[in-house]
Amino acid sequence: MNAHIPALTGGGQVMAIVPQTFEETFRMARTVVASGLAPAALIGKLTGDDAASAVAVAIMSGAELGLKPMVSLRSFTVINGKPALYGDGLINVVRMSGKVAYLRTGFAKDDMKLLRDAGVLPSEESEEAQPGITAKAFAALSEDERTFGYCAAKRSDTGEEKTVVFSISDAKHARLWDDRATVRKQVWENGNKVWKDGQPNDAPWYRFQKRMLAWRSAGYCLRELFGDVLGGIRDEFEVREIAEAEEMRDITPPAAAENKPTPPKPPKPPAPPSAKTIEAEPETPVDQAEFVLGDFLSEIETALAGAKDEADVEEIWTDYDAPAVLETEGHEDMIEAAFAIKTRRLAQLSTLNGG
């Protein structure tokens, strides 16, 4: 009876399912959307085939960089319609290219070799020609200039190598550095979003300063050295900062009113003796912002992207209280999507930490 059923075998290598045609890609995208695994930052308020189309584009963008479909969804985000890679995704793409002889990134202070390799200090040839010039140049640097994130990499195919540092001084000059413990920001109170002072600063440039310095230097280094591999893709934090800088505001001064003579206004008739004029006090507008589901889920995903361990994830998750907020706003069907964002970040951290 079971003679035609093939026997199960063990020990084989598990292979990723990689679509080969557009139809297969779209079919996979529909499956991802139906399962609730599509990142909220990617699909926003889209549903049905619109959401599947966004997922399909992310899969195809990752395929061009050599990423498997599910890795693409974990590595890509979309900011103002532009695809971007998370910081670890940028490094992952370069490592998977097979063109890396070595790639080192991290945080350092007072490392003269790295500063020399990056061109901040004079070269060894200059030191031989003018002994003592390196020590003088190093002494002239401020503490912020001597504290930096770095990325050093070398190509295995061409032998090109590059070292880039991004210092605290660079971050301050670019208006990225943030050392405020508390800030004014919007919080949820009684189902409404209101502005409050003295809130804990959860910005990545305050909470994860060393990692942000390292990722920024890696972004500059890898895009210059492996431009053919990355194809112009940037990391999410840089894309977000560019998007904010590109937001245009109208600074045109109002047109001056023409000085035309106006006829005098007729006098008001006298009020009756018994009449009393009562002026109603203007209503004070309530400073409340409309709840936007896509923005709320995107804020959660962005905040969790800066978490460096499970404790950070739990702290951020508690601060946002996503299940309660979504239920209050009538989006109970998106609570599972919010949990999926949290679970995905925990899985990324487990991979990064060798878990």
Side-chain angles (χ1 to χ4, degrees):
M1 174 171 142
N2 297 326
H4 301 289
I5 298 178
L8 295 176
T9 59
Q13 184 178 2
V14 178
M15 304 294 292
I17 300 176
V18 180
Q20 301 298 317
T21 65
F22 180 79
E23 288 72 18
E24 292 177 358
T25 303
F26 204 75
R27 180 182 176 188
M28 174 176 285
R30 282 176 169 171
T31 303
V32 171
V33 172
S35 67
L37 294 178
L42 182 63
I43 63 174
K45 294 183 178 181
L46 300 178
T47 58
D49 282 350
D50 291 337
S53 298
V55 172
V57 169
I59 292 175
M60 290 187 290
S61 298
E64 293 180 355
L65 299 177
L67 298 177
K68 297 178 176 64
M70 299 310 293
V71 177
S72 296
L73 296 180
R74 292 194 298 269
S75 302
F76 267 99
T77 185
V78 176
I79 301 170
N80 279 12
K82 298 178 181 178
L85 283 168
Y86 294 116
D88 48 356
L90 201 70
I91 297 173
N92 183 34
V93 169
V94 172
R95 289 190 184 279
M96 290 176 59
S97 68
K99 299 180 179 181
V100 181
Y102 66 78
L103 195 165
R104 295 186 290 270
T105 184
F107 176 84
K109 182 178 181 180
D110 297 338
D111 192 317
M112 297 181 67
K113 183 180 185 306
L114 286 173
L115 291 172
R116 174 183 286 131
D117 292 342
V120 178
L121 294 179
S123 64
E124 293 181 355
E125 291 78 8
S126 298
E127 176 65 25
E128 291 177 0
Q130 304 179 53
I133 189 175
T134 302
K136 292 179 181 179
F138 183 77
L141 297 177
S142 66
E143 183 176 358
D144 286 348
E145 291 173 320
R146 291 185 280 109
T147 308
F148 52 86
Y150 68 88
C151 179
K154 180 178 180 179
R155 294 187 64 124
S156 59
D157 52 353
T158 64
E160 298 174 87
E161 53 187 331
K162 188 173 188 64
T163 299
V164 172
V165 300
F166 194 80
S167 66
I168 294 178
S169 177
D170 294 327
K172 288 181 177 179
H173 186 71
R175 299 180 182 178
L176 300 172
W177 194 256
D178 194 349
D179 53 9
R180 300 168 298 167
T182 60
V183 294
R184 172 179 170 82
K185 66 179 180 179
Q186 288 182 310
V187 298
W188 291 95
E189 283 190 353
N190 301 323
N192 296 315
K193 208 171 186 180
V194 298
W195 286 97
K196 292 193 69 175
D197 292 317
Q199 299 302 305
N201 188 357
D202 56 4
W205 277 100
Y206 173 73
R207 299 186 63 193
F208 314 109
Q209 295 173 340
K210 294 181 180 180
R211 175 171 292 187
M212 296 304 294
L213 289 171
W215 277 359
R216 180 52 56 92
S217 61
Y220 289 148
C221 178
L222 300 181
R223 281 203 312 277
E224 291 183 22
L225 193 58
F226 297 93
D228 57 325
V229 175
L230 295 174
I233 293 291
R234 299 174 181 268
D235 70 82
E236 60 153 334
F237 296 107
E238 190 173 358
V239 172
R240 197 176 301 281
E241 289 152 14
I242 292 174
E244 292 174 357
E246 288 179 347
E247 288 183 358
M248 299 182 64
R249 57 188 180 92
D250 187 5
I251 59 174
T252 306
E258 298 182 7
N259 293 325
K260 291 183 178 180
T262 56
K265 295 182 180 180
K268 295 182 179 180
S274 59
K276 293 183 179 180
T277 303
I278 302 176
E279 295 183 358
E281 296 182 359
E283 295 183 1
T284 303
V286 180
D287 186 11
Q288 295 179 357
E290 179 184 357
F291 178 80
V292 180
L293 175 61
D295 292 348
F296 179 65
L297 294 175
S298 180
E299 288 178 12
I300 295 176
E301 188 162 17
T302 301
L304 290 176
K308 61 181 180 180
D309 53 34
E310 294 184 4
D312 285 340
V313 171
E314 295 300 334
E315 180 181 349
I316 295 171
W317 180 257
T318 301
D319 288 343
Y320 276 90
D321 196 10
V325 172
L326 292 173
E327 184 176 357
T328 301
E329 294 296 331
H331 295 287
E332 297 90 343
D333 57 328
M334 295 302 295
I335 293 178
E336 292 185 6
F339 273 106
I341 295 174
K342 174 186 176 184
T343 303
R344 182 167 59 254
R345 186 52 186 160
L346 287 172
Q348 292 174 345
L349 290 172
S350 176
T351 303
L352 288 175
N353 297 328

